[in-house]
Amino acid sequence: MSDHATDAATDAFIVHRNLLFTVAYEMLGSAADAEDVLQEAWLRWSRTDLDTVRDQRAYLVRITTRQSLNRLRTMTRRKEDYVGPWLPEPLLTAPDVAEDVELAESVSMALMLVLETLSPTERAVFVLREVFDVGYDDIAAAVDKSAAAVRQIAHRARRHIDARRPRSVVSVSESRAVLESFRRALEGRDLQGLLDVLAPDIVVLNDGGGIKHAALRPVIGAEKVLRFLAGGLGKTDAVLAADPTMVNGSPGLLFRLDGEVDGIMAACVHNGRITSLYYVRNPQKLTRVASETPLTLR
């Protein structure tokens, strides 16, 4: 490839990089694996004759999807051996992600976990069609299926996801207010204050990956969650600080113990109470807590 062609390929890749990362991340739930996919996509793109490419965005999305599918199949085996609940790798996101309701929902911890229940091909089809509005023919080329088969897969995946989506999407301001009440109660070790903000059927998923101490199964119900939180607080004399931040497009908390990052928490809120808490302590999944990750659907 000539220097001019290399420059053109590089420029095109840079223009679409945030989009390609978002595609890979939504398919994989792992920023580290998404970055690896982008490296592989770049190698293939850099060898492509750009004169033969009709739509650069579509072509790059196709390459990224294929590499993501390959990676997703190997990750499935990795997750089977994972210690305790597996949660997506949390990302700190800019306020503009929260302002884009469609993007914020698509990268939310709750929806990312529902995507985990799809097969790799179903996940690719759902993400490309429902999130990125890719045409059926382009999806078919990306997943090596016929357009008719892709339509059927998309319909099945959409029905599966719709049955499992969070009950409602609340405003950023409501989520932030509820999490602020939770934060104050936690930092003040106010057990009644915590109980007041937990939904009766709350579910807590705690991801330590076998590296950090964490519950190996979901903790379900306000009383059990309260005991779980109180137990965690009682085991440490460290100064606990929970800093408000934006996690995967929604209000979340960055936890520090004596100034050292301990984990990232995301939440689902419904009717003014927390219905789900997702707490990631696995240090291998906390590489994106120092700066915001740019995401986009376009």
Side-chain angles (χ1 to χ4, degrees):
M1 187 182 283
S2 68
D3 289 345
H4 176 72
T6 301
D7 289 345
T10 302
D11 290 346
F13 195 85
I14 290 171
V15 165
H16 296 295
R17 191 188 189 287
N18 291 346
L19 167 70
L20 302 179
F21 177 86
T22 309
V23 170
Y25 176 73
E26 293 207 17
M27 282 192 59
L28 302 172
S30 164
D33 286 281
E35 292 289 1
D36 288 345
V37 160
L38 259 60
Q39 289 288 330
E40 293 157 3
W42 161 248
L43 289 174
R44 281 157 178 75
W45 175 246
S46 66
R47 300 187 197 114
T48 302
D49 180 357
L50 299 192
D51 291 337
T52 66
V53 177
R54 176 179 52 84
D55 183 335
Q56 292 184 346
R57 178 186 185 274
Y59 194 91
L60 282 164
V61 168
R62 185 187 312 167
I63 294 173
T64 301
T65 300
R66 284 180 171 169
Q67 297 308 312
S68 296
L69 272 172
N70 292 339
R71 182 61 61 110
L72 191 56
R73 290 174 180 128
T74 64
M75 286 178 70
T76 300
R77 291 191 291 275
R78 204 163 76 204
K79 289 171 189 172
E80 288 171 356
D81 299 325
Y82 199 78
V83 177
W86 185 95
L87 289 174
E89 189 174 340
L91 304 178
L92 297 195
T93 50
D96 66 326
V97 174
E99 291 164 9
D100 186 334
V101 175
E102 191 177 353
L103 173 58
E105 188 197 4
S106 73
V107 297
S108 68
M109 281 284 185
L111 186 61
M112 295 283 283
L113 275 174
V114 178
L115 292 178
E116 287 293 314
T117 63
L118 296 174
S119 73
T121 300
E122 287 173 335
R123 185 165 182 168
V125 169
F126 179 87
V127 165
L128 293 180
R129 182 63 191 164
E130 297 298 319
V131 179
F132 295 96
D133 198 29
V134 176
Y136 288 113
D137 289 338
D138 284 328
I139 298 174
V143 301
D144 293 323
K145 302 279 185 185
S146 69
V150 165
R151 286 178 184 273
Q152 288 185 329
I153 294 168
H155 177 71
R156 187 170 66 240
R158 189 184 309 118
R159 193 171 56 208
H160 178 93
I161 295 294
D162 285 346
R164 292 162 177 80
R165 281 182 191 271
R167 285 171 286 190
S168 64
V169 178
V170 301
S171 68
V172 170
S173 59
E174 181 181 346
S175 288
R176 187 175 283 129
V178 172
L179 267 181
E180 177 60 20
S181 296
F182 175 82
R183 184 187 72 82
R184 286 199 307 268
L186 199 64
E187 288 186 345
R189 304 183 184 234
D190 173 7
L191 298 186
Q192 184 57 51
L194 284 172
L195 195 58
D196 290 344
V197 81
L198 303 179
D201 57 350
I202 184 175
V203 177
V204 171
L205 295 176
N206 193 200
D207 181 343
I211 300 171
K212 288 284 195 78
H213 179 73
L216 296 179
R217 286 178 294 279
V219 183
I220 302 171
E223 293 289 345
K224 287 184 179 178
V225 169
L226 187 65
R227 287 198 295 273
F228 172 72
L229 293 172
L233 291 171
K235 287 176 184 174
T236 179
D237 295 325
V239 176
L240 172 70
D243 299 326
T245 188
M246 294 300 291
V247 181
N248 287 55
S250 300
L253 296 170
L254 172 62
F255 282 86
R256 289 185 171 88
L257 291 176
D258 284 342
E260 294 292 322
V261 171
D262 182 73
I264 286 277
M265 181 176 281
C268 282
V269 171
H270 183 68
N271 287 340
R273 290 192 168 190
I274 298 171
T275 56
S276 303
L277 282 175
Y278 313 103
Y279 191 43
V280 179
R281 295 193 74 205
N282 183 347
Q284 295 175 350
K285 293 185 178 183
L286 298 176
T287 61
R288 294 270 175 160
V289 301
S291 59
E292 295 169 351
T293 298
L295 301 172
T296 183
L297 298 182
R298 292 158 194 89

